[in-house]
Amino acid sequence: MIKLNRRQLMIFSLFSTGGIIAQKLLSNKNNNLSWAKSTPAVYKSKNGLLEVELIAQEIPVNIGGKTAYLLTYNGQIPAPRLEAKAGDKVKIKFTNKLNNSTNLHYHGLHISPNNNADNVFLEIKPNQTFNYELNIPENHHSMMGWYHPHLHGYTAQQLSGGLAGLFIIRGKLDEIPAIKSAKEKFIVLQDFSFDNNGRLTDSRMMSLMMGREGDVITVNGEINPQISLNQGEWLRLRILNASTSRFYNLSLDNNPFYLIATDGGAIASPQEMTRLLLTPGQRAEIMITGENKQSSLKLINLPYNRGGMGMMGNGMMGGGMMGRRNNNPSQILATINLNQSNQNNQSVSLPNQLNSITALPPPSQVRSFTLNHGMANGMAFLINGKSYNHQRIDTEVKLNTVEEWELINTGMMDHPFHIHVNSFQVISRNDIPENLLAWRDTVLVKRGERVKIRIRFNDFTGKTVYHCHILDHEDLGMMGNLQINT
Ligand SMILES: [Cu+2]
C-alpha cells in the first residue's frame, strides 16, 4: 500500500471530484441514438475561404461494434478534417454543447495567438457560440496540423473523450509527382478507456500522474482498419498521435518505409527507416511502396517504456496503480492489403529532394527549461521549478530573433515539449548533434536527457504557451506563458 502525504491526498480528492464532474457530464443522456459516422467529413477551402461550423458535443459513437459515449466535434470520431492553403482565411463558428467550458487550439499552425485566432486563453462556456477567424500566412508550409481543446485544467479530459481533428495546409509537398500520385491516407491515433456501459472511465490519480492511457486504440475511430494498396502504387500515410498520453512506437513489421515529413512539413529528402516513435501531439508522413512480396503489411505499435515515478518505473508496480503496463504487448493498428495485379505497374520514384530547409542561425539568446515532477512539493509537474500560473509571464522573447532553448528533463518520465505558434529545429540531444533537419513543434525529451532546439519568432507578437504534451502533465502545471514582443 502506498502512503500519500497531505498534498497528494488533496490532489487525489481533487481528481475524485473531477471524476464526479466527468460522470455528470456523461450521464447527460442524448436522446439521439444515431451513431456517429466512422468516416469523418472533410471541409476544404474554396477561393481562399474555408467556412465551417463545429459543435462540441457528447454523442454515442460506434467503436469496434460497441456504443461509447464520446466527446465529439459534429458527432464524429475523429473530428471533421479541415483543409486550407497558404493565404486562406478560415472562419469557424464554434458552439460548445459540452457541460464544461472549452476552447480550440490549432496545433502546429503558424497563425496569430491573439483575439479570435489561436488564443488558448479564451474560455467558451457551455451553450456559448464563438466565431474564430484565422488568417493563414502566404508563406505557410504545407503540413499537417490539428485542432483540439486547450483550456487549462480540462485539456486532458476533453481530448481523451475524443475531441481532435486534422487541419491540413495543402501546398508544394502535395504537388511532387510521386506524392501527388500516391494513395493518401490519414491516420488519427486515439485511445479510449470506457466501461461496459460505454461510459468513459474515471482516471484515478496515479494514472493521471503517468498520463492516462486508454486500452482501446483506434485508427480513425476504427479498430484495425484495412487499407488496400495496388502493386506499384505508393501509399502516403499521414499520421497524427491524438492520444492524451500514449506514445506510438510504429513498425511495418520490420519492412522499410520512408519518412517524408514531420510536424511542420516536408523534410529535405526521404529517410529510410523501420521504426517511428510518435509522442502525443506529433505528426509524421511516411511513404510505403506497393512493391512487396507479401500480400499484406501490418502497422504495428511496439511497446515503449516512457518511465514512471520512483519504483513504479522499473515495472515493480507498473500495472496496478499506474493504470498502465510497462510491458504492454505489441498491437496491430491497421492492415495494408496489397493487391497483386498482372499489370506491370511502374511506380514513380521518390525524388531525393523534397524541400529546402535552412538551418536556423546561431541564437541571440540562450535559455534553459528544466522539466520535472516536483516530488518535494507533492505531485506537481513543473517547468523551472514552477507550476503553471495564468497571470505570470514566464518567458519574454523578441519578434524576429532566434533563440536556443535547452530542455532538461531531470524527472523520471519522458516529456514531449510543445511550443505554440512557431515551429523549431532540434539541434542536439545530450550534446550529440541531431542529423535530421526538420520543422517540429513537439519534441521528446526523455528522462535524463538534454535537448537543444532553435526557434525563430516570426510574424506574430502576443501571448501564447509552451507545455508538456502529455496533457495530464499540462493540466497539472507543466506549462509556461510565452510573451512575444516587438
Ligand atoms: Cu509530461
Side-chain angles (χ1 to χ4, degrees):
M1 183 64 200
I2 291 173
K3 285 211 175 115
L4 302 174
N5 65 32
R6 220 176 112 248
R7 191 184 147 89
Q8 287 163 340
L9 272 170
M10 229 172 69
I11 292 172
F12 184 79
S13 51
L14 204 83
F15 291 146
S16 306
T17 318
I20 292 160
I21 293 166
Q23 285 300 319
K24 246 172 111 179
L25 188 146
L26 288 169
S27 63
N28 175 25
K29 275 229 171 91
N30 196 315
N31 293 325
N32 173 13
L33 278 168
S34 63
W35 280 346
K37 292 184 203 106
S38 61
T39 316
V42 183
Y43 298 107
K44 297 183 184 184
S45 62
K46 274 186 203 125
N47 304 320
L49 177 68
L50 172 61
E51 251 184 310
V52 56
E53 187 169 358
L54 292 176
I55 301 169
Q57 190 175 18
E58 184 203 324
I59 218 163
V61 178
N62 176 8
I63 299 286
K66 286 179 188 151
T67 302
Y69 295 80
L70 300 183
L71 309 184
T72 68
Y73 294 116
N74 297 4
Q76 304 198 333
I77 298 289
R81 185 170 87 237
L82 311 184
E83 292 198 4
K85 295 189 184 89
D88 284 353
K89 186 183 279 297
V90 180
K91 292 180 173 181
I92 298 173
K93 183 185 176 192
F94 174 67
T95 301
N96 178 13
K97 290 193 178 169
L98 304 172
N99 285 9
N100 295 107
S101 292
T102 188
N103 63 18
L104 288 177
H105 165 48
Y106 306 95
H107 182 132
L109 268 69
H110 179 59
I111 52 175
S112 165
N114 305 314
N115 307 319
N116 56 347
D118 188 20
N119 182 350
V120 295
F121 305 103
L122 290 170
E123 180 181 345
I124 299 163
K125 299 206 161 76
N127 294 315
Q128 194 184 337
T129 293
F130 186 84
N131 292 303
Y132 282 97
E133 194 170 310
L134 319 175
N135 293 301
I136 316 289
E138 293 284 351
N139 61 351
H140 203 287
H141 300 158
S142 48
M143 50 80 77
M144 198 175 157
W146 62 298
Y147 61 99
H148 65 80
H150 208 296
L151 184 63
H152 183 64
Y154 293 97
T155 312
Q157 184 213 339
Q158 294 182 349
L159 192 100
S160 68
L163 292 166
L166 287 166
F167 198 140
I168 302 298
I169 307 296
R170 294 278 177 195
K172 259 165 52 184
L173 178 63
D174 306 289
E175 298 305 319
I176 292 173
I179 293 165
K180 194 174 184 173
S181 64
K183 178 170 190 165
E184 183 182 52
K185 184 83 187 165
F186 294 91
I187 299 270
V188 178
L189 297 166
Q190 291 172 289
D191 57 345
F192 299 103
S193 183
F194 40 77
D195 63 20
N196 290 336
N197 299 318
R199 301 291 176 178
L200 290 166
T201 53
D202 183 12
S203 283
R204 290 285 163 195
M205 182 189 66
M206 290 313 245
S207 80
L208 291 186
M209 290 300 156
M210 193 59 212
R212 68 189 83 187
E213 287 189 8
D215 46 6
V216 179
I217 300 179
T218 63
V219 171
N220 307 328
E222 295 178 72
I223 294 167
N224 188 16
Q226 309 287 303
I227 300 164
S228 71
L229 184 64
N230 292 323
Q231 195 177 31
E233 198 178 23
W234 283 100
L235 176 63
R236 177 188 184 187
L237 279 190
R238 309 186 71 180
I239 312 170
L240 158 68
N241 181 350
S243 282
T244 318
S245 314
R246 184 182 286 277
F247 288 26
Y248 293 89
N249 189 9
L250 301 172
S251 145
L252 262 186
D253 223 354
N254 286 324
N255 289 287
F257 52 84
Y258 300 88
L259 181 74
I260 59 164
T262 52
D263 302 332
I267 54 176
S269 54
Q271 300 285 311
E272 186 177 332
M273 47 176 62
T274 55
R275 289 273 190 291
L276 176 69
L277 182 66
L278 272 192
T279 73
Q282 287 185 321
R283 289 87 68 210
E285 300 189 31
I286 60 172
M287 297 291 282
I288 296 167
T289 171
E291 306 280 334
N292 227 298
K293 302 245 164 26
Q294 296 105 303
S295 59
S296 73
L297 291 169
K298 294 188 188 329
L299 181 67
I300 295 172
N301 183 27
L302 298 167
Y304 180 81
N305 182 352
R306 54 189 179 86
M309 312 256 290
M311 62 181 173
M312 292 160 192
N314 60 25
M316 279 176 71
M317 302 191 62
M321 285 294 276
M322 300 308 282
R324 60 182 292 275
R325 296 162 291 277
N326 277 326
N327 297 313
N328 50 343
S330 305
Q331 190 171 341
I332 298 168
L333 298 177
T335 305
I336 300 156
N337 296 309
L338 301 167
N339 304 321
Q340 307 294 341
S341 71
N342 294 325
Q343 292 167 344
N344 213 352
N345 288 335
Q346 282 281 323
S347 72
V348 192
S349 44
L350 279 180
N352 283 325
Q353 168 120 27
L354 297 165
N355 194 7
S356 62
I357 300 182
T358 312
L360 287 172
S364 55
Q365 176 82 43
V366 175
R367 298 176 202 269
S368 71
F369 297 83
T370 298
L371 315 174
N372 64 34
H373 34 74
M375 289 298 282
N377 307 335
M379 300 270 205
F381 284 79
L382 311 168
I383 299 179
N384 288 340
K386 291 175 187 158
S387 182
Y388 182 68
N389 178 333
H390 210 288
Q391 306 301 323
R392 189 183 63 222
I393 297 294
D394 297 278
T395 307
E396 274 189 82
V397 302
K398 265 189 89 131
L399 188 70
N400 296 324
T401 61
V402 175
E403 296 208 355
E404 186 165 279
W405 288 10
E406 187 170 31
L407 313 170
I408 306 161
N409 184 345
T410 58
M412 285 175 275
M413 306 175 205
D414 295 358
H415 298 294
F417 191 85
H418 171 50
I419 309 176
H420 289 210
V421 184
N422 291 284
S423 49
F424 53 77
Q425 296 173 354
V426 177
I427 302 303
S428 66
R429 285 179 182 277
N430 290 339
D431 295 323
I432 299 162
E434 174 86 351
N435 46 32
L436 182 68
L437 191 55
W439 290 111
R440 298 180 189 278
D441 53 58
T442 308
V443 63
L444 172 59
V445 189
K446 292 180 186 171
R447 47 201 188 277
E449 208 170 39
R450 288 176 296 116
V451 176
K452 279 184 188 158
I453 61 171
R454 275 183 199 171
I455 181 166
R456 177 160 39 207
F457 302 97
N458 288 326
D459 303 312
F460 306 108
T461 54
K463 184 181 163 192
T464 189
V465 292
Y466 48 81
H467 61 90
C468 176
H469 220 287
I470 291 178
L471 294 171
D472 283 303
H473 295 173
E474 182 254 285
D475 281 337
L476 293 173
M478 200 175 253
M479 180 154 79
N481 286 328
L482 171 66
Q483 176 73 40
I484 307 168
N485 297 319
T486 49

